[in-house]
Amino acid sequence: MNLTGEQIIGNSFSKKGTSTFQGMQADSGIAISQPFYEATTEEIDQAVALAKSAFGALRKISDEKRVAFLEAIAAEINAIGEPLIEMACLEAGLPTARIQGERGRTTGQVLAFANFIKNKSWTNPIDDPALPDRQPLPKPSLFQKQIPLGPVAVFGASNFPLAFSVAGGDTMSALAAGCPVVFKAHPAHPNTCEMVGRAIQAAAQKTGMPEGIFSMIHTTSHELGGYLVQHPDIQAVAFTGSYRGGKALYDLAVRRPNPIPVYAEMGSINPVVLLSNGLAANGTSLAANFSQSVCLGQGQFCTNPGLIVIKKSDEAFLTDLAAQLDTMSMNAFLTQGIAQAFTKGCQKLDQHPEVKRYTKQAIPSPSLFVTTAQAAMKDQEILEEVFGPSTLAVVVENESEMIAFIESLPGQLTGTIHGTIEEIKAFPELIEVLSLRVGRILLNGFPTGVEVSPAMVHGGPFPATSDSRGTSVGTQAIYRFTRHICYQNFPADLIN
């Protein structure tokens, strides 16, 4: 595939900008030769105008034709072959097996949305017949369904160069819903983004989709990202990244003259509660498996288990966990910036007077930090996410303090409980209070690894996400980009 570094604007390419940047090899920081052109506001305007025009045409296109489009996207991505794997590995510093698996997950979720909209019931139709003889007043006929919102802006993530990127769940759920997408490529892997963007463009052309159903822009500028969010014809935004970035986009969107929904996933420390009987029965294996989860993907998952809640009487487990982490090696981070932030975050905890580091390797390394519930509740900065292979253990005196500490936590993507069924049944408050803080609650497992399925919830209360009512993984993600409409006294053949 011949890459050009240009914007994908509908069926065309554009390079009106004068500034360029390059992708980087994640492990060495060496620039990849292909320059990428910074988008201009003119190019963004053009992409959004095409998306608006495409939306009008899409309203008249059948679900069956969108299914064919989605299936063609999966086929085009697979057709790129090994060059896509090699480029993603180069830009993200991830092993081949990981990227191969991520490609399968990406095409699998594309096909999952295609299969989902094959069934007409995906629009959740509600037929509420008229009651003309009802007294004292007749009841009209009512019909409710879901319809698409309009053009959507999607911001790619840094930690999944395929599954949460150009053809990720945000883009595919929007396209499945019938919403054109203007995608902002992540500058950490622009070459990978262009490969997949061209695949979507080719699929759109081969299946006769209206021009503008998909466009992609490149920029390193926060201002241009904000310009896209504030464009009056953009009707929703999807984002995966930091709290700072997601909250900034959210604030811009809600301050527009016509505010729009923002579905921002903004980070999580994913508390894991360890109960005594479970530790007594499985402590050794739990320490080994926990260390693997902490270090999976260099700890660069939004579901990384970054917080342990454990009783003081069980504190010996933390020594075993630290010993396991000390055997783990460091790999390349996704970007040099993430590597620097990880080192800075670990050093900040290491220097905190109320925090102790149990691991022995020099920072940066897989790390376990320990503090008390009282210290963490007094100073919430202790609980700030350190993106990478580290975790913080908060030691509680008893079950009452455990509940009080969990109640003090901000919203999270996941919460996990390790324990025997008997002790969990004897402690019902734990499930109750944890479920109020998370989008997904796990029993005797690990939060890393998010199944793409109809029941999955990859979301959670603020600040894990900006809207706890949605999910960015699974087929239910489609409903972020639809809205209810009710037709009153309409014959069936007049309902679109």
Side-chain angles (χ1 to χ4, degrees):
M1 182 178 290
N2 181 32
L3 303 183
T4 65
E6 298 173 320
Q7 325 306 322
I8 296 175
I9 310 293
N11 296 338
S12 303
F13 299 92
S14 179
K15 53 178 182 180
K16 295 178 179 178
T18 56
S19 298
T20 61
F21 66 96
Q22 292 167 279
M24 311 291 285
Q25 298 181 34
D27 57 354
S28 66
I30 296 173
I32 299 171
S33 58
Q34 176 63 55
F36 283 80
Y37 294 86
E38 293 272 1
T40 65
T41 56
E42 181 183 353
E43 287 169 322
I44 293 174
D45 288 343
Q46 184 182 358
V48 177
L50 281 173
K52 181 180 180 181
S53 175
F55 181 60
L58 274 174
R59 298 286 286 123
K60 301 176 180 66
I61 288 178
S62 67
D63 288 351
E64 289 77 13
K65 289 185 178 180
R66 284 206 316 287
V67 167
F69 172 43
L70 295 174
E71 291 175 340
I73 290 173
E76 291 291 331
I77 291 172
N78 284 328
I80 301 172
E82 287 307 303
L84 177 62
I85 303 297
E86 293 167 1
M87 182 57 73
C89 290
L90 188 66
E91 289 190 307
L94 297 170
T96 299
R98 155 71 192 273
I99 294 298
Q100 288 173 333
E102 193 176 324
R103 179 178 60 183
R105 171 179 170 171
T106 302
T107 55
Q109 67 190 3
V110 175
L111 295 176
F113 282 112
N115 289 330
F116 187 66
I117 64 172
K118 285 178 181 178
N119 188 331
K120 294 296 183 183
S121 66
W122 83 265
T123 59
N124 293 334
I126 301 174
D127 191 359
D128 193 1
L131 297 173
D133 298 326
R134 189 184 67 175
Q135 296 298 326
L137 294 173
K139 173 183 170 293
S141 69
L142 301 170
F143 183 86
Q144 184 193 110
K145 62 179 291 190
Q146 298 287 314
I147 61 171
L149 291 178
V152 171
V154 176
F155 289 71
S158 65
N159 58 340
F160 283 86
L162 298 177
F164 276 81
S165 190
V166 186
D170 289 336
T171 301
M172 292 303 112
S173 56
L175 292 176
C179 297
V181 169
V182 178
F183 185 86
K184 194 197 87 64
H186 199 287
H189 39 257
N191 293 276
T192 305
C193 286
E194 183 174 342
M195 287 181 167
V196 179
R198 284 173 172 264
I200 297 176
Q201 183 191 53
Q205 291 174 318
K206 288 180 179 179
T207 56
M209 290 296 105
E211 183 177 10
I213 191 172
F214 174 81
S215 293
M216 185 173 74
I217 62 166
H218 292 281
T219 181
T220 60
S221 164
H222 297 310
E223 289 74 18
L224 283 174
Y227 181 84
L228 174 61
V229 168
Q230 294 176 93
H231 196 290
D233 291 325
I234 291 294
Q235 299 303 311
V237 176
F239 169 88
T240 299
S242 68
Y243 171 80
R244 183 178 178 181
K247 184 62 163 57
L249 296 181
Y250 174 84
D251 289 344
L252 289 174
V254 298
R255 290 171 184 164
R256 290 172 31 148
N258 57 325
I260 57 174
V262 174
Y263 301 102
E265 182 200 313
M266 300 181 290
S268 177
I269 53 176
N270 305 300
V272 178
V273 181
L274 304 178
L275 299 180
S276 299
N277 293 348
L279 285 171
N282 302 299
T284 300
S285 63
L286 185 57
N289 292 332
F290 200 107
S291 64
Q292 293 287 338
S293 184
V294 168
C295 296
L296 186 66
Q298 191 70 347
Q300 297 167 112
F301 290 161
C302 45
T303 52
N304 187 58
L307 177 65
I308 299 168
V309 184
I310 188 171
K311 290 181 185 177
K312 187 174 181 62
S313 56
D314 300 317
E315 207 169 354
F317 169 81
L318 299 177
T319 301
D320 294 338
L321 177 58
Q324 290 286 341
L325 288 169
D326 276 329
T327 68
M328 308 296 286
S329 60
M330 291 283 283
N331 298 305
F333 282 92
L334 293 159
T335 68
Q336 298 296 309
I338 291 174
Q340 294 166 5
F342 175 74
T343 299
K344 184 178 179 180
C346 287
Q347 290 173 339
K348 183 178 179 181
L349 282 175
D350 198 33
Q351 295 164 6
H352 196 288
E354 298 291 336
V355 177
K356 181 178 179 181
R357 182 161 63 97
Y358 271 37
T359 41
K360 305 301 182 184
Q361 294 187 77
I363 295 172
S365 61
S367 299
L368 169 63
F369 299 93
V370 183
T371 191
T372 65
Q374 290 299 318
M377 287 189 286
K378 182 180 179 181
D379 182 2
Q380 288 285 312
E381 287 189 3
I382 293 176
L383 299 175
E384 288 182 356
E385 181 182 18
V386 179
F387 192 63
S390 74
T391 191
L392 170 72
V394 170
V395 178
V396 300
E397 294 290 337
N398 49 46
E399 290 182 351
S400 295
E401 189 172 63
M402 179 179 287
I403 293 297
F405 172 68
I406 294 172
E407 286 181 328
S408 74
L409 289 174
Q412 307 291 330
L413 293 173
T414 75
T416 303
I417 302 171
H418 280 269
T420 66
I421 299 301
E422 292 73 19
E423 70 182 327
I424 294 170
K425 285 182 177 179
F427 192 12
E429 299 91 343
L430 178 57
I431 296 176
E432 181 179 351
V433 71
L434 193 58
S435 64
L436 294 175
R437 294 289 179 274
V438 305
R440 175 166 58 110
I441 188 166
L442 298 85
L443 179 60
N444 292 328
F446 295 94
T448 40
V450 182
E451 187 69 27
V452 181
S453 73
M456 177 53 62
V457 174
H458 190 60
F462 185 87
T465 66
S466 58
D467 191 327
S468 64
R469 296 168 295 178
T471 175
S472 60
V473 175
T475 49
Q476 297 301 298
I478 197 171
Y479 296 115
R480 297 172 300 166
F481 306 115
T482 65
R483 65 177 177 87
H484 304 281
I485 188 169
C486 177
Y487 297 88
Q488 182 168 328
N489 290 331
F490 270 67
D493 57 357
L494 284 182
I495 298 175
N496 293 325

